[in-house]
Amino acid sequence: MTARKSPWGGAGRGGRDAPERAAPRRREPAREPVVRGEGRGGADDAGESRELRLYGLNAVRATFARRPQALRKLYLSESRIPALQPLLKWCVANRIGYRVVEEDDLRRLAASQHHEGVVADVLREPPLPLSNWLDGLSQGPQLALWLDGVGNPHNLGAILRSAAHFGVAAILVPRHAQLALSGAAARVAEGGAEAVPLVRLGRPENAVAQLRAAGFLLAATVVEGGDDLFAAALPERLVYVLGAEGEGMDRGFAQACDLRLSIPGTGAVESLNVAAAAAVMLASWQARR
């Protein structure tokens, strides 16, 4: 495996009464082309598309509850009409087109069999700059996750779900990372994607300095050689740094962090999946509060 180049001078580690249906403003075929895992529409400055295709009941409901104005199109199975009545009534009142379609159409639209009877095109919420996020942060205990190379959408979704459950303040994403919310990640997050903001970082050294100035300490999560997570003193304002699924986190970056933590186990397996490790880390911090 080729080691990742480190910005810190190190190398990567190897080891239902239905409302009357409104006629959409534009009638469009349900069997339109779909790109797997990608949003739709034009691209913004970060190269991310402006629209995101969501699927899954809780993912769509969470977006509607928090950002109804982001909804652009809706497709659903007939069996979902009772559960989605409030959303459909909003579509009627705001002239947002929706269509009742067949199971095969939903599968093609979502590019997944896990659509749960509903697909929606919504405007993507752009990541916040780190300075903006810090300016709006309240005083007192705060927890954030820095994802150093994590890219699997299902892992991102599981991390977002755990982050929402434990009240994480943000997911911090390095500036050159390709990580972005996808339909698959949002479905796995079960609504958590709307509860936890994504924050785009600048230069790593600057980001670390900004976080420390705001009272945060950074904890590198390492497979071995770190302090026992369950015995270590965890500060009130903490950023856990989680490494890539295959490579782990960058060694140079780990040395630059204030803490290095490991999750003790039996040794029967080398380590936990990054999403499982994140849940354990978050629960451990929350238990100290």
Side-chain angles (χ1 to χ4, degrees):
M1 179 183 296
T2 302
R4 290 187 290 137
K5 185 177 179 181
S6 168
W8 302 88
R13 182 174 75 67
R16 280 188 205 228
D17 269 342
E20 192 171 316
R21 296 180 194 167
R25 286 179 291 176
R26 299 186 300 275
R27 295 190 62 84
E28 297 163 323
R31 299 171 184 262
E32 56 188 80
V34 176
V35 179
R36 182 177 298 275
E38 295 296 330
R40 298 163 46 77
D44 60 20
D45 292 340
E48 296 172 358
S49 54
R50 291 183 61 250
E51 286 189 17
L52 172 65
R53 176 155 286 172
L54 292 179
Y55 56 92
L57 189 60
N58 287 336
V60 172
R61 277 174 161 171
T63 301
F64 173 64
R66 180 171 169 265
R67 299 186 297 129
Q69 72 283 357
L71 185 64
R72 288 296 176 265
K73 298 172 195 168
L74 182 70
Y75 307 89
L76 70 158
S77 65
E78 190 165 3
S79 64
R80 282 301 186 199
I81 291 175
L84 294 172
Q85 256 194 24
L87 198 163
L88 296 176
K89 289 178 179 178
W90 191 90
C91 287
V92 172
N94 291 272
R95 298 180 58 80
I96 299 297
Y98 73 86
R99 295 190 65 181
V100 176
V101 297
E102 300 298 325
E103 173 80 13
D104 287 347
D105 295 313
L106 289 169
R107 190 180 301 115
R108 277 187 280 269
L109 287 161
S112 170
Q113 63 181 345
H114 303 296
H115 51 73
E116 299 175 3
V118 60
V119 176
D121 289 339
V122 302
L123 289 179
R124 183 184 293 276
E125 189 168 34
L128 287 169
L130 177 60
S131 56
N132 290 22
W133 174 69
L134 288 173
D135 287 344
L137 203 58
S138 60
Q139 297 298 314
Q142 297 287 351
L143 181 63
L145 293 176
W146 181 320
L147 302 187
D148 179 43
V150 175
N152 182 288
H154 292 89
N155 281 337
L156 174 60
I159 289 170
L160 282 166
R161 184 173 183 175
S162 295
H165 180 77
F166 290 109
V168 168
I171 301 293
L172 310 181
V173 181
R175 61 174 179 164
H176 293 311
Q178 297 301 307
L179 185 65
L181 186 67
S182 65
R187 184 194 67 80
V188 173
E190 293 286 357
E194 287 294 324
V196 184
L198 295 182
V199 173
R200 183 70 67 180
L201 303 175
R203 292 176 57 85
E205 300 91 334
N206 293 345
V208 169
Q210 286 179 273
L211 289 164
R212 285 176 175 154
F216 285 92
L217 294 183
L218 275 71
T221 58
V222 295
V223 172
E224 56 187 21
D227 295 331
D228 183 332
L229 169 68
F230 305 121
L234 300 180
E236 286 196 342
R237 291 170 82 87
L238 179 63
V239 176
Y240 282 125
V241 184
L242 298 168
E245 290 92 346
E247 301 173 359
M249 75 167 293
D250 179 272
R251 278 184 181 173
F253 191 4
Q255 291 303 313
C257 289
D258 305 290
L259 305 168
R260 279 156 294 284
L261 301 173
S262 298
I263 300 173
T266 64
V269 294
E270 181 184 6
S271 63
L272 292 174
N273 165 276
V274 65
V280 173
M281 295 272 180
L282 299 182
S284 182
W285 182 86
Q286 189 64 257
R288 321 291 174 89
R289 308 276 74 79

